[in-house]
Amino acid sequence: MLKLLGKIGLLVCALAAGAVWLVILRLKNVPVPLLVAYGLVLGVFVVAMAWPGVLGRLSTRRRVAAFAGIPAGLGTLGLYLAVVYHVTDLPVLPALAAVACLAWAVAALLRGRRTAGDPGARRTRRAFLLGGAGLVLGVMSGLSVSRVEGRRREVLAGLERQRQAAVRAAGTRKRVADGAVRVFPIHTGDTIVTYGQFYGGLDGWEGLNGYVRTLVDKAQIAVPVHAYLIDHPRHGLLLVDTGVNSEQAWDHDGYYDMTSRLLTERDEYRMTPEQDLRVQLARLGYDAEEISTVFLTHVHDDHAGGLRHLPRATVVMDRRDWEHGVLYPHSFELVKDNLSFPAFDSGPFGPFPAGQDHFGDGSVILLPTPGHSPGHMCVLLRLDTGGVLFMGDTLYTLPHLAVDQVRQMTIGGADTVRQIGAARRIQKMLASDPGVVPLFAHDNTRYQSELVASAFADGTPGEEGLRALRAHMDTVLTPGWRLRPGHAPHFVPPAAGTARGRVEFR
């Protein structure tokens, strides 16, 4: 009975692992018919290894391994090489094979069959061959390390040449120092997401179900990734979020480890050389090394990737995100000793029960808005003529302020409740202070591409620019935070010859 239960347990684990692998392959755009055929081979192999008799009375595990295991193994290797493999895996694969050969050699010595004429000959020969193969593979793994590092250096050198060319291109503006607070939106490229992830939070895209759907749903759109530069006369150069970096976009598989690559797409980000954070800062008349403070709304990599270029900056973020959020250590590698965690002990701020007056002069207020991540926060910047509220990912776009009609994918459970609660506090803040305008990280509407770009073209929107933004908000949203006609998002499938769809507002 225990043996049967053990087999069933192993079967369930193997089938679950196989299902995860099939989902990953679907994420990598492997055709469904191929996945079905491959999945059947895997299933037959796993079941028949536990109960060989299901394939007939003459079946044995050795025959199952030969007729189902070999095709399953070759299929797995072929699919991995086709859709997941990257040159950075080169030292890892022979190293794993070397370990397997050496382990097999030890097993051959311990359990090898003896022949009648020479009891140890077969065992010794097998162990010798396997051990030799293991040593050769181990040497190959060691030698490949330098080749991989050299290839990586070549890629990075090419990226640096493109960046320098973009910096030297015509159009650099002169830095203005007249005592005014300036805010510059910085478009650091685009991220590719599923439409449902971005707009389907009220259509079942929530929690684990929503995450699985992001892996298999191919109704994709491209949305912008924005950071915001603040030139403050008293506090220096500040950034709200940092966007993505060029390595994430142009050398994605080299930037991320194997586990991260399994769960992401190679074209997850796209960026032109001109959109590199350092290039845009230079063309505005600034230097990345001058950035003194980064306010990180949350730790997700499309907001933290640019930290690789800001090793001298103090990074201000909620401790809960650092301890419990989904972060990629490589992006934080150079700033992990420069972190500052606000206490949120400055008392209530409007509808928010707690806030942090970061500089102590009311110029920058940090507001906890958990939900999208454990320690998500928004940043309120006070201007002489009003204020701007940097939303991070609490809400993706202006239409998302109609949170009961348009909602992004949420984590589910208490996190969804917290995120919607934060959204309602933001609604109350904007309603109570008509001089404050929201600035989003991923807005793909004309609010960002036209009105925000125009109002902040020279960094100082003034009272007139802020009024224009609020006036546009009134054309999109009612006072009760409902969408007006003509502003509901709809997915438009990709046209022939294109990979992704787009969003129309009707």
Side-chain angles (χ1 to χ4, degrees):
M1 183 64 179
L2 290 177
K3 185 177 180 180
L4 176 61
L5 291 176
K7 283 186 176 183
I8 293 174
L10 289 174
L11 178 65
V12 170
C13 292
L15 291 177
V20 171
W21 174 234
L22 291 174
V23 170
I24 289 171
L25 292 175
R26 180 59 188 143
L27 171 66
K28 303 297 183 181
N29 293 315
V30 175
V32 172
L34 179 58
L35 284 182
V36 171
Y38 170 65
L40 288 174
V41 172
L42 279 182
V44 168
F45 170 66
V46 170
V47 173
M49 285 299 288
W51 293 281
V54 299
L55 296 181
R57 288 183 298 171
L58 299 180
S59 295
T60 64
R61 286 189 174 86
R62 181 172 293 183
R63 290 177 178 173
V64 171
F67 292 104
I70 291 176
L74 291 176
T76 300
L77 180 62
L79 288 167
Y80 165 75
L81 292 174
V83 300
V84 179
Y85 172 78
H86 184 260
V87 68
T88 51
D89 297 343
L90 191 57
V92 178
L93 296 179
L96 292 174
V99 171
C101 286
L102 293 173
W104 197 354
V106 172
L109 283 173
L110 296 177
R111 297 185 299 173
R113 296 180 180 178
R114 297 168 180 258
T115 62
D118 186 1
R122 184 178 300 178
R123 175 177 59 183
T124 303
R125 184 166 57 252
R126 184 182 300 168
F128 177 79
L129 292 173
L130 289 169
L135 291 175
V136 170
L137 289 167
V139 171
M140 290 174 58
S141 174
L143 293 176
S144 66
V145 171
S146 60
R147 298 292 297 273
V148 170
E149 290 179 350
R151 171 59 181 159
R152 180 85 173 133
R153 286 193 295 270
E154 290 177 9
V155 170
L156 296 180
L159 295 179
E160 180 61 19
R161 287 192 293 271
Q162 293 184 55
R163 186 182 75 83
Q164 293 291 349
V167 169
R168 292 192 297 268
T172 300
R173 33 183 309 160
K174 290 184 179 181
R175 184 171 176 176
V176 178
D178 57 4
V181 178
R182 281 182 160 74
V183 178
F184 295 98
I186 297 180
H187 180 193
T188 67
D190 299 330
T191 182
I192 309 303
V193 299
T194 54
Y195 176 82
Q197 176 185 351
F198 208 70
Y199 286 113
L202 294 172
D203 298 320
W205 289 71
E206 182 178 346
L208 180 60
N209 177 61
Y211 180 71
V212 172
R213 291 175 73 173
T214 66
L215 297 180
V216 298
D217 194 301
K218 295 303 170 184
Q220 295 179 322
I221 58 174
V223 297
V225 180
H226 278 92
Y228 292 90
L229 173 68
I230 303 170
D231 184 351
H232 202 286
R234 294 193 303 277
H235 306 305
L237 293 186
L238 321 171
L239 267 181
V240 178
D241 291 332
T242 66
V244 297
N245 65 52
S246 56
E247 293 174 52
Q248 290 172 277
W250 299 332
D251 187 33
H252 182 273
D253 285 2
Y255 187 80
Y256 292 102
D257 60 27
M258 189 184 301
T259 302
S260 299
R261 280 190 277 116
L262 285 173
L263 299 176
T264 58
E265 295 195 43
R266 284 184 169 137
D267 60 352
E268 178 182 13
Y269 303 114
R270 64 186 190 187
M271 173 193 291
T272 66
E274 293 75 19
Q275 290 173 331
D276 184 288
L277 175 65
R278 295 162 296 174
V279 172
Q280 296 200 65
L281 291 174
R283 292 171 69 83
L284 288 169
Y286 302 96
D287 190 316
E289 294 189 359
E290 297 178 275
I291 303 295
S292 60
T293 305
V294 174
F295 296 104
L296 203 63
T297 61
H298 62 298
V299 295
H300 293 169
D301 225 24
D302 56 328
H303 295 253
L307 292 175
R308 297 286 301 171
H309 308 317
L310 308 167
R312 299 182 181 180
T314 298
V315 180
V316 180
M317 59 184 296
D318 193 310
R319 183 184 293 275
R320 291 169 295 181
D321 242 32
W322 177 249
E323 294 177 348
H324 306 294
V326 180
L327 60 86
Y328 294 90
H330 191 52
S331 295
F332 287 85
E333 188 175 44
L334 301 180
V335 300
K336 59 186 177 183
D337 296 325
N338 304 344
L339 303 181
S340 175
F341 302 115
F344 296 107
D345 58 0
S346 299
F349 188 88
F352 289 87
Q356 182 71 52
D357 184 349
H358 182 75
F359 293 111
D361 59 1
S363 60
V364 175
I365 307 295
L366 309 180
L367 302 169
T369 52
H372 181 77
S373 67
H376 192 288
M377 67 180 189
C378 291
V379 181
L380 176 66
L381 172 70
R382 284 298 183 188
L383 305 173
D384 291 338
T385 55
V388 292
L389 180 64
F390 301 99
M391 306 286 282
D393 281 359
T394 300
L395 299 168
Y396 282 158
T397 71
L398 184 63
H400 281 87
L401 277 165
V403 69
D404 293 320
Q405 291 176 282
V406 178
R407 189 177 298 175
Q408 66 227 53
M409 188 181 83
T410 56
I411 296 177
D415 288 307
T416 295
V417 173
R418 282 190 279 267
Q419 187 167 351
I420 301 309
R424 299 202 191 286
R425 291 191 181 97
I426 289 170
Q427 290 174 341
K428 291 178 181 177
M429 170 180 282
L430 294 175
S432 64
D433 191 343
V436 174
V437 298
L439 294 182
F440 302 89
H442 301 296
D443 193 294
N444 63 339
T445 73
R446 62 182 294 262
Y447 174 75
Q448 181 78 33
S449 60
E450 297 179 20
L451 284 94
V452 170
S454 174
F456 289 88
D458 66 353
T460 54
E463 197 170 345
E464 182 179 346
L466 297 180
R467 275 202 305 267
L469 291 173
R470 289 298 298 239
H472 179 76
M473 287 176 59
D474 290 340
T475 68
V476 176
L477 299 155
T478 69
W481 303 103
R482 305 286 296 180
L483 286 178
R484 296 187 188 276
H487 296 284
H490 295 270
F491 178 71
V492 179
T498 60
R500 296 176 189 90
R502 56 189 176 85
V503 181
E504 284 187 354
F505 296 90
R506 309 169 190 162

